[in-house]
């Protein structure tokens, strides 16, 4: 199959603050601009395009009351990157969890022989960072 995900949109209440948050926490390169988007380049040729809620495409990513609908974005990183990202999460005193349901606060997980952690971006999007991908049947 030759189909590859090329980009997806992350809807944000404050586009620039969200882009800077993700660049800072994840250690990404500075964003580029494309129209109303702040484009975050990831290493596997996918971009995460941060869009202010005022520009949401046909209301995509917004609830009926104009609030951002929380989505989930997961990033696969190596051990060194995980150490750096987790240190920044702790330095900034961000709440974090070992699971997507926020049941296990202040811990990381060791799923699939790796390490993983969940935290929220400024919009309530659930961000996951992990060193081992999910193993599926
Ligand atoms: Fe996930």
């Amino acid at each position: 199959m030759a189909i590859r995900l090329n980009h997806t949109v992350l809807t944000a209440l404050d586009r620039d603050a969200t882009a800077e948050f993700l660049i800072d926490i994840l250690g990404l390169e500075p964003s580029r601009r494309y129209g109303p988007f702040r484009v975050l380049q990831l290493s596997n040729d996918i971009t995460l395009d941060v869009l202010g809620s005022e520009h949401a495409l046909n209301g995509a990513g917004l609830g009926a009351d104009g609030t951002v609908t929380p989505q989930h974005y997961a990033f696969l990183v190596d051990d060194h990157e995980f150490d750096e990202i987790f240190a920044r999460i702790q330095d900034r005193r961000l709440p974090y969890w070992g699971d997507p349901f926020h049941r296990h606060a202040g811990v990381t997980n060791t799923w699939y022989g790796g390490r993983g952690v969940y935290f929220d971006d400024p919009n309530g999007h659930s961000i996951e960072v992990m060193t081992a991908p999910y193993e599926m049947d």
Side-chain angles (χ1 to χ4, degrees):
M1 187 190 311
I3 298 173
R4 294 175 293 162
L5 184 64
N6 178 261
H7 65 274
T8 190
V9 173
L10 184 151
T11 304
L13 290 171
D14 184 327
R15 178 196 64 177
D16 292 339
T18 297
E20 292 306 320
F21 172 86
L22 292 169
I23 290 167
D24 174 52
I25 292 292
L26 297 175
L28 301 175
E29 295 296 318
S31 66
R32 294 173 290 152
R33 292 184 184 275
Y34 180 74
F37 299 97
R38 293 273 304 262
V39 177
L40 306 180
Q41 183 69 52
L42 304 174
S43 63
N44 53 345
D45 295 331
I46 295 173
T47 61
L48 188 57
D49 301 349
V50 182
L51 180 67
S53 57
E54 69 276 21
H55 296 292
L57 309 171
N58 299 321
L62 296 179
D65 59 357
T67 57
V68 171
T69 302
Q71 302 291 328
H72 177 53
Y73 300 91
F75 300 90
L76 185 63
V77 303
D78 66 25
D79 280 309
H80 177 69
E81 291 164 335
F82 188 92
D83 288 338
E84 291 184 340
I85 292 167
F86 188 53
R88 288 191 285 268
I89 290 170
Q90 292 178 303
D91 286 346
R92 288 148 185 76
R93 302 186 184 282
L94 296 177
Y96 62 91
W97 298 267
D99 68 295
F101 306 106
H102 293 187
R103 292 179 183 142
H104 304 287
V107 298
T108 59
N109 68 61
T110 56
W111 296 341
Y112 309 110
R115 292 182 290 163
V117 68
Y118 293 78
F119 59 98
D120 288 346
D121 88 339
N123 310 284
H125 293 309
S126 175
I127 309 296
E128 177 182 9
V129 176
M130 58 190 178
T131 63
Y134 297 173
E135 294 175 7
M136 300 175 204
D137 295 332

